[in-house]
Structures are given as structure tokens and as C-alpha cells.
Amino acid sequence: GAVVSQHPSWVICKSGTSVKIECRSLDFQATTMFWYRQFPKQSLMLMATSNEGSKATYEQGVEKDKFLINHASLTLSTLTVTSAHPEDSSFYICSARDRAGNNSPLHFGNGTRLTVT
Amino acid sequence: AQKVTQAQTEISVVEKEDVTLDCVYETRDTTYYLFWYKQPPSGELVFLIRRNSFDEQNEISGRYSWNFQKSTSSFNFTITASQVVDSAVYFCALSVISGNTPLVFGKGTRLSVIA
């Protein structure tokens, strides 16, 4: 079945540094990928919609200059948390749908647990 | 706009008991999908079911069953004869069918099954 690979699965970084998270669709092409954030014991909140070859669409309250999204190919989207701070510590999950059809299900990566010290 | 409400924040049951997780949704769209996901402590989302708005048939898969009631905008999930391995957070989610749209998640229900 379709698989979405997310890397790294966990990362610890120092405050002020930047962290890049990759999301790859392994056996399908995705024109659109979605990035979610989940704080401890909370739900998944959509951060942004990543569109191949164009700018991402950010949800209200999400800083686009802080969370840089690049969707350079049909199988790869990256989320870069710039100048990370402890409050950015969270679980980040990407998802993608096979562009072959709108009826195809949304596939999720296994998530990246970011801890900023 | 879409909204998913999971009123039960936490549920605790003893092993072998049946448990039902409630999900109520809101949408103005007439065509949509409803989902249930399981999130174990390791964090990944495990897909359980997808149901489209045209299909109100209830579904059973092993110990899992789902009751879709369009009249009450509910999509409840029942685990029969619960097991300790069922302990996890369960999310109900909704997406419209038209276009490439994301899922809107409920806040989740944390299920603890005690041996």
C-alpha cells in the first residue's frame, strides 16, 4: 500500500537553531501534502497545505516565516522550523494523497517529535 | 467549515468490556468522508476506517464496529471485548470529498484498558 515516509522520527535541537523535516511519498505522487502539529495530549492541528511547485497555504496563526515549507517535487515536501524555541517542541506529522484520484485516502507519515532545549 | 466533536476526553474500561467512542460532526457539505484513527503511545496514526457520506451501512471488522447515523451526524466506534493493546488515543476526522482537502480532527478520546 501507499506509504509516506517522514524523517527524522525524532530530533533534539538547541534553541535558535533550525530543523528540517522531510516528508516523502514512496510509491505515489502527491501534488498536495499537509503538515499537522500536535502538542502533548492535544489533537492534530493543520498548519499548512504544501503545494508542489507553488507557495504553501498557511492556516491562521501559523507563521510562514518561521515554518518554511518547500514542495519541490511530487514526492517530497519539507518543513523547516527556523530559529526554533522551546515552545516549538511538538509532534509534527505530514500527510499526502495520491494525485491519481480525489477518492484516494490520505496517508500519514509516522511523525517527527521535535524537542527544543 | 467542518467540525468534529469527541465529547469523551478519557475513558477507562476493564479488559473484555465493550466500549463505545462517540463522534459528532458538523459540515455544510453533502459529500464528505469520515475517518477513525488510532494513535498508540509511539505516536503514529493508524488508519482504522473511512466511510463516505453516501454509505450509511454500519461496518464490522473483527472486534471493531462503526455506527454511522447521518440523521444525528454521528459516527460512533465500538470496540467489543476490549484488550490492553487497544489502549490508545482515538481520533475521529472529517474531510469533504471535493478537491484536495485536509482532514479535520476531533480532540481525541484517550482509551485505557485495564487488565
Side-chain angles (χ1 to χ4, degrees):
Chain A
V3 175
V4 172
S5 172
Q6 193 171 334
H7 178 81
S9 55
W10 62 270
V11 58
I12 302 173
C13 71
K14 290 186 177 179
S15 190
T17 60
S18 296
V19 173
K20 180 185 282 188
I21 302 170
E22 293 187 348
C23 180
R24 293 180 185 275
S25 55
L26 295 186
D27 56 359
F28 65 96
Q29 293 183 328
T31 50
T32 303
M33 292 185 178
F34 303 102
W35 286 96
Y36 290 85
R37 179 169 55 185
Q38 184 182 29
F39 290 110
K41 296 192 176 183
Q42 294 192 23
S43 187
L44 287 83
M45 300 302 296
L46 181 67
M47 296 176 66
T49 301
S50 168
N51 304 299
E52 187 267 337
S54 65
K55 291 182 180 180
T57 305
Y58 290 81
E59 295 300 300
Q60 192 174 10
V62 178
E63 299 174 58
K64 62 180 181 181
D65 294 329
K66 181 168 185 62
F67 298 99
L68 300 179
I69 291 174
N70 186 305
H71 195 150
S73 76
L74 286 171
T75 58
L76 174 64
S77 174
T78 60
L79 167 67
T80 301
V81 183
T82 62
S83 187
H85 289 283
E87 57 264 32
D88 298 323
S89 298
S90 187
F91 192 59
Y92 294 86
I93 306 179
C94 70
S95 66
R97 180 181 283 120
D98 189 335
R99 73 168 183 166
N102 281 335
N103 283 333
S104 58
L106 202 58
H107 304 282
F108 284 85
N110 282 346
T112 298
R113 195 166 301 280
L114 170 64
T115 302
V116 185
T117 61
Chain B
Q2 292 81 41
K3 184 179 178 182
V4 177
T5 301
Q6 293 179 255
Q8 303 149 309
T9 306
E10 295 190 31
I11 299 176
S12 192
V13 299
V14 176
E15 204 171 21
K16 297 184 183 176
E17 285 185 353
D18 299 346
V19 58
T20 295
L21 309 182
D22 298 333
C23 173
V24 174
Y25 63 92
E26 295 175 33
T27 179
R28 292 180 181 171
D29 292 88
T30 56
T31 55
Y32 48 88
Y33 285 120
L34 293 163
F35 302 78
W36 276 95
Y37 285 88
K38 174 182 180 179
Q39 188 178 42
S42 50
E44 75 275 17
L45 284 175
V46 178
F47 169 79
L48 297 178
I49 190 172
R50 180 180 73 166
R51 171 68 69 210
N52 76 51
S53 52
F54 297 123
D55 184 1
E56 283 194 73
Q57 273 194 329
N58 292 329
E59 181 156 340
I60 298 175
S61 176
R63 296 185 296 109
Y64 296 168
S65 62
W66 291 270
N67 186 331
F68 179 23
Q69 297 277 346
K70 219 169 175 179
S71 59
T72 55
S73 297
S74 65
F75 186 44
N76 296 338
F77 172 34
T78 297
I79 301 175
T80 304
S82 59
Q83 300 175 2
V84 173
V85 293
D86 296 328
S87 297
V89 180
Y90 290 86
F91 290 98
C92 181
L94 166 76
S95 77
V96 298
I97 291 180
S98 62
N100 204 347
T101 53
L103 264 61
V104 174
F105 286 86
K107 291 189 175 182
T109 297
R110 182 175 300 275
L111 173 65
S112 298
V113 181
I114 304 164

